Amino acid sequence: MVNNTNWLDTLYKACRQLGYSEDVNSTNIRAHMSPNLKLLYCRVNKCASTMTLELLKQLFSCDTECLIKNAERVRLNTNARQLMDDAFSFMVVREPYGRLFSTYCNIFYFPKEDWLYRGIKLIKLTRLNISYDSLTYGHDLSFSELVKYTVDTYENNDRLDEHVRPMHHKSCNPCVFKFDYIAHLETLQNDFDFIFNNLQEETVGMYQKDILISLKQWTTLGPIKHLFRTIPLLKDSNISLYDVYLRAWCYYQITGHVLKTINFPYNETNLNDIKKEDFLSELTKAMNVSAVYKDKLKLQRAEAMLQAYSTISDDYMERLSNVVLGDCLLFGYENKPAHLFDKTSCLQKKSKFDYFKGL
């Protein structure tokens, strides 16, 4: 492994504390491998996985299906674990509370096809007296319900949705499988520079530092396709079309791409004929105006996250800290960050702006 010794010592100590040990025979990881079998990426959902896979696709001229098939081909080999160990292996992690919040915003708040299966499933598990639309379309899961689902399911030792299960789940456990590098979302540019500059001779395409900038722009607007796929699925519902579009707009305020002072540019009378290109044009224009206000946008992201977590009871916050404890120990994150657990401070910092309109 190539990470610095002090960090590795911390990781190994956490592995022992959590009761994990390396399994030299295991190939049961969520592996994606390059065609030349020189690189192995273990995918963790909601940890820049879409962007990482797109990067690998460009560098190796190999799409996600190709990357998975390469790994499956290796698993069938009698020397599977040796081939995996010989490859340069990495995973990407992020701050656990931010990951859970990101999952909520991207999958359950933003209009997405996931509503009709993930949303419905979680609403059934967490809510009494469910309305017809909620039971049919799964559109209005709250953040507190997502936390309840995560905590209750974890405590019952039931199978968690891949977007909220701990990052060190058995499919990418750094104690069971020793990765050569563990990248962090918070330092992704530097981490990827290190990884792919060292692998430059192994790639088909050239890794350039600004490639992440273009990929971030690509992933930022990626959710819009889901908005326009979801709207037809709701045509027989009582769900307000205005609220659906409003939630898409608010999502970009929550994620720090559009200033909260830029109002939603539509009203309830001019939505029926809106085209994808028109909405994208208005959104892009708002993003461009907002882009120079980096500090304000960063503050918005923090405010929105704080607003969501302020709806969680002390009991569930304490139990949630147990869910993310392993990830915090292994990857160097604070288990009970003061900005989320100090309720007095939370209330003082809580924004009066409603980031979750249309819910």
Side-chain angles (χ1 to χ4, degrees):
M1 297 181 75
V2 293
N3 295 67
N4 70 72
T5 303
N6 290 336
W7 191 86
L8 284 177
D9 287 344
T10 300
L11 176 66
Y12 294 151
K13 180 181 178 182
C15 289
R16 291 192 296 271
Q17 184 176 341
L18 295 168
Y20 293 121
S21 60
E22 184 177 10
D23 183 349
V24 295
N25 297 313
S26 176
T27 60
N28 185 29
I29 63 171
R30 197 180 183 190
H32 297 65
M33 294 190 76
S34 60
N36 59 12
L37 308 184
K38 297 293 185 181
L39 179 123
L40 184 154
Y41 163 56
C42 198
R43 180 181 183 179
V44 179
N45 289 75
K46 300 313 300 175
C47 291
S49 58
T50 300
M51 184 167 63
T52 303
L53 288 171
E54 182 63 23
L55 175 60
L56 297 182
K57 174 183 176 181
Q58 293 185 24
L59 292 180
F60 292 100
S61 296
C62 180
D63 62 18
T64 302
E65 184 179 356
C66 163
L67 294 166
I68 294 173
K69 282 185 176 179
N70 292 331
E72 290 301 322
R73 179 161 55 91
V74 166
R75 283 196 184 93
L76 295 174
N77 192 296
T78 54
N79 296 318
R81 180 56 188 255
Q82 186 61 53
L83 289 169
M84 288 184 172
D85 286 341
D86 289 344
F88 184 95
S89 57
F90 77 101
M91 66 183 293
V92 183
V93 299
R94 69 185 295 182
E95 197 280 321
Y97 293 95
R99 176 175 175 251
L100 182 60
F101 176 63
S102 176
T103 294
Y104 175 72
C105 296
N106 183 257
I107 294 180
F108 298 106
Y109 179 72
F110 188 91
K112 220 168 189 180
E113 305 94 315
D114 296 62
W115 284 1
L116 278 77
Y117 51 102
R118 285 194 171 92
I120 291 172
K121 176 185 174 181
L122 269 60
I123 285 172
K124 285 181 177 179
L125 290 171
T126 58
R127 188 185 304 176
L128 300 174
N129 301 318
I130 307 172
S131 72
Y132 172 80
D133 278 340
S134 297
L135 192 59
T136 308
Y137 301 100
H139 66 294
D140 59 351
L141 185 82
S142 68
F143 182 65
S144 62
E145 287 172 329
L146 178 62
V147 171
K148 175 177 170 55
Y149 159 76
T150 303
V151 170
D152 291 353
T153 306
Y154 178 84
E155 290 178 346
N156 290 330
N157 291 316
D158 292 333
R159 182 179 177 86
L160 270 168
D161 184 275
E162 61 192 14
H163 294 85
V164 298
R165 68 190 181 196
M167 293 177 284
H168 72 283
H169 180 269
K170 62 183 179 182
S171 59
C172 284
N173 191 323
C175 303
V176 174
F177 189 96
K178 303 298 189 204
F179 296 101
D180 289 304
Y181 202 92
I182 298 180
H184 290 66
L185 184 68
E186 297 80 8
T187 56
L188 199 59
Q189 180 73 64
N190 290 336
D191 290 335
F192 275 11
D193 287 350
F194 177 86
I195 292 171
F196 293 105
N197 283 329
N198 277 279
L199 288 170
Q200 197 76 58
E201 295 181 1
E202 310 291 350
T203 61
V204 176
M206 289 293 290
Y207 175 78
Q208 298 175 336
K209 192 163 187 174
D210 61 357
I211 193 170
L212 277 192
I213 297 174
S214 62
L215 285 176
K216 284 178 181 177
Q217 293 171 341
W218 173 76
T219 54
T220 295
L221 291 173
I224 295 300
K225 63 178 179 286
H226 296 289
L227 168 65
F228 285 89
R229 289 174 186 168
T230 302
I231 288 172
L233 301 176
L234 308 177
K235 61 183 177 63
D236 294 327
S237 75
N238 296 307
I239 300 167
S240 162
L241 185 62
Y242 175 82
D243 285 344
V244 172
Y245 279 112
L246 178 62
R247 283 167 68 164
W249 187 268
C250 288
Y251 170 80
Y252 285 93
Q253 294 177 321
I254 291 166
T255 54
H257 292 100
V258 173
L259 287 169
K260 64 184 181 182
T261 52
I262 300 180
N263 294 325
F264 182 50
Y266 300 97
N267 57 54
E268 297 199 38
T269 62
N270 64 357
L271 280 174
N272 289 326
D273 297 325
I274 186 173
K275 296 178 181 178
K276 180 179 179 180
E277 295 75 20
D278 297 331
F279 188 83
L280 266 174
S281 176
E282 291 289 344
L283 180 61
T284 303
K285 183 167 61 178
M287 289 171 63
N288 290 337
V289 170
S290 305
V292 296
Y293 298 97
K294 289 182 171 56
D295 289 341
K296 289 184 178 180
L297 294 174
K298 183 178 180 181
L299 178 61
Q300 279 183 205
R301 292 195 295 270
E303 284 180 348
M305 182 170 165
L306 185 61
Q307 191 172 101
Y309 273 100
S310 69
T311 66
I312 311 303
S313 69
D314 290 345
D315 174 55
Y316 266 96
M317 285 298 291
E318 188 67 29
R319 291 159 66 187
L320 181 61
S321 73
N322 292 326
V323 177
V324 303
L325 177 61
D327 284 342
C328 293
L329 289 172
L330 289 166
F331 306 126
Y333 294 107
E334 191 176 353
N335 186 226
K336 294 183 180 181
H339 69 284
L340 298 180
F341 278 79
D342 184 342
K343 289 295 185 180
T344 303
S345 175
C346 287
L347 290 172
Q348 291 174 347
K349 295 178 182 178
K350 185 178 178 182
S351 172
K352 293 181 180 179
F353 181 83
D354 181 9
Y355 283 98
F356 299 93
K357 300 182 185 75
L359 187 63

